[in-house]
Amino acid sequence: MGFVFYVIVALTLAGALAAVLLKNTVHCALALTVAFAGLALQFLELDAQFAGFAQILVYVGAVAILVVFAILLTRGSETPKDGVFSRTWLAGLAIAAAVFAVLGWAVLGSAQALPGPGGARTAPPTVTVLQIGNALMSRYVLPLEIVALLLTAALIGAVMVAMHEKAGTQ
Amino acid sequence: MLGEGILKGLAETARNFVGSYFSAERLTTVQYPEQRIAPIEATRDFPFLVYDGADWEAGLRCVACQICEKECPPKCIYIEKSTGKKPDALGKPQFYPARFDIDISVCMSCQICVEVCPFEAIKMDTEFELSTTDRFGGLLYDRKELAKSNEHYHKIHPTEAAAVDAHLAGEKAKADAKTKAAAAAATAKAAASAAPPAGGGA
Amino acid sequence: MFANLDQIFVLLKQWAVGWLPASWQAAAGVLLCVVAIICVFPGLFAITVLLERKGLGRMQNRYGPNRVGIFGILQPVADGIKSLTKEDLVPLSADAVVHFIAPVFLVVVVFMGYAVLPMGRNMTLVHLDAALLFYFAIGASTELSVFMAGWSSRNKYSLLGAMRAVAQMISYEVPLLMSSVAVVMITGSLSLDKIVAAQNQYTWGLPHWYIFTPWGFAGFAMFAIAATAETNRSPFDLPEGESELVAGYFTEYSGFKFAEFFLGEYVGMLSISGLGTTLFLGGWSSPLAVLGWVPSWFWFFAKIMLSMCVYIWMRGTLPRLRQDQLMNFAWKFVLPLTLLNLFVTALWRFMGDGWERWLVCSAILVLAYVVMGRTGMHRDHLGARRYRYAD
């Protein structure tokens, strides 16, 4: 837990807090992206390359864009002029704290997170991308296929929705 | 076949690219101002006033009739008529422009002033390098700047100028004939009046 | 001699770092590499801009810039000075902070991609197992910068341009990834070093580049299309379509911030050319075994500059697509073909070393291309145009 760790933690927390507290929704989304990126850096700091890069690819590259698009498509172009912080910042903070408490409780409740009986932590396993690939393709091939099927179904569903809408407008 | 057109297009641009180093046909740019293309005869941009003879002020054909001023669509011509008269090319006493200004920055080169001028006094010039550092007055030309000799007109538009000269010569000949006829009539009349009247005097 | 020339940059770095105490050497080495990347690629950017302006000019039957310096070679310097001395305008209603961050973020992200590109033998800054994944993760972040630029300007053209750009980049990221996955399937590694090493072999003096296989050729074609769209280059430059959107997402940028976007675009092109070179064109390996003595970095840079020339050639040739054509092309043509290419790649992997796999794989791909070109494209108005003239 060196200096780098604390820098990343500060970055992640600042991003997350800004996402909860800020008034402008797009700013919130961008701050959330900072938090995502901080989390990815945290993964990389822990030598989990695949998780880290996947976090950036999926969350920064796709989810953040999705959030931003959702905000732009659902809200008007009104921009709050006065004040930086949201009026309901207390509620946001309370909800965030509640979610954090639940997650923390769940994590601490799991056996692996706690120090072993001798008080010594188990050495973290080093997982390479090759190992992850091998595991996905051999032991976890059935879950992988099921996920793939689900995604394909979702994709086809999306196409069907889009096509239906087009037929309706014509 | 999909993509065929793209390949054709790529071949064409490649031919242009390579050809530009070898054939003048594929590199048509003229490197102005070092290189210039000779202007074609019908080139026109802004009007000028034609004068005959050596003295621009005396030779101006313009008689300040103000038709061009009225016809000018963007209203870029400003004329002040003289108070006195002076004889024109035909020897007839005419007004002349005490002031004749054209705002070149407003002129749209439509040539209507040339079309309407009954005296062949205003023509289109081919001079286009008129940039100036004075934003307001630099392109407001007065009659001295506008006056250019008939020789200049011949140089820039030879065919048109020859036709104009022929027309003017015809006019002059007609006017001369008319004055001669009038003079003859006057002399005849004078001779007739000199003779005793046929009937009773009025 | 030639071996030294090949490793000249590595040796130079070691020599320079050797002056420092041992504990600083690693960090100083990395810093030196970063500085080198930050110097070299903007230099290439300047050369590319000059090539582009002169090349496009020649394609359009005119000289390009030829007044600044001899043959106009100082034109990029003049452009640079101009953009540095221009006033930096921020619209009154713009979101100043985001407006400022967007171009900086773009440039940072674009330069990060170079960290994993092998630019020569032993010339990779960071040796990552998941280098390809890193590259795509970083590449995906550029969308955010584009969005930030478009949104923070508070200009409808900017916003429309950003929306178009983001939609386009998301759409073409899928085929970009999919066509690269084929390479990963054959090499069995996400490490770009290993991908180059796998291609740096020769049979009869000819290289084992992936572009010389049926799946590799198809994959490279798809990759090139997707990369062109990903970098918003003509004919996919709708986000900055000047005829309808002024300049797209960077309409409200001027001076140095505009220059940053410009730099980001070109450095991104160079970077994605480097990735395509690494994946399909053998990276730093020489095109013929007998040319093996030429320094490896020369081949890498020669290949990416050649790719830039193709970019310029494309830009000089093709008209801009319409938005619906762009989307149809991505989802109905490029994506299905890349998926099919994945299947063909698997076939290639498991069919052994015989000549049959050449025949089968080529036949499947050509057939698919012809069928899709003939049927699908005509229906979606992507085929040959039929002109109707007024009577």
Side-chain angles (χ1 to χ4, degrees), chain C residues 232-251:
Chain C
N232 297 333
R233 280 291 291 187
S234 173
F236 303 107
D237 56 349
L238 284 107
E240 52 207 80
E242 63 271 5
S243 50
E244 59 248 28
L245 289 181
V246 190
Y249 51 87
F250 49 78
T251 302

Side-chain angles (χ1 to χ4, degrees), chain A residues 10-37:
Chain A
L11 184 78
T12 316
L13 277 182
L17 277 178
V20 174
L21 298 180
L22 287 184
K23 188 163 194 169
N24 192 323
T25 332
V26 176
H27 285 172
C28 293
L30 293 176
L32 189 66
T33 314
V34 173
F36 286 152

Side-chain angles (χ1 to χ4, degrees), chain C residues 53-106:
Chain C
R53 293 182 63 178
K54 292 201 74 95
L56 281 183
R58 292 278 169 176
M59 284 173 201
Q60 294 158 0
N61 298 345
R62 56 183 173 84
Y63 303 90
N66 62 354
R67 294 300 166 112
V68 193
I70 184 165
F71 295 122
I73 49 168
L74 293 181
Q75 187 67 40
V77 180
D79 288 348
I81 292 171
K82 187 189 90 170
S83 58
L84 281 176
T85 50
K86 277 204 167 178
E87 188 184 356
D88 177 22
L89 290 169
V90 180
L92 191 62
S93 59
D95 198 319
V97 179
V98 183
H99 192 263
F100 172 76
I101 292 174
V104 179
F105 182 68
L106 179 73

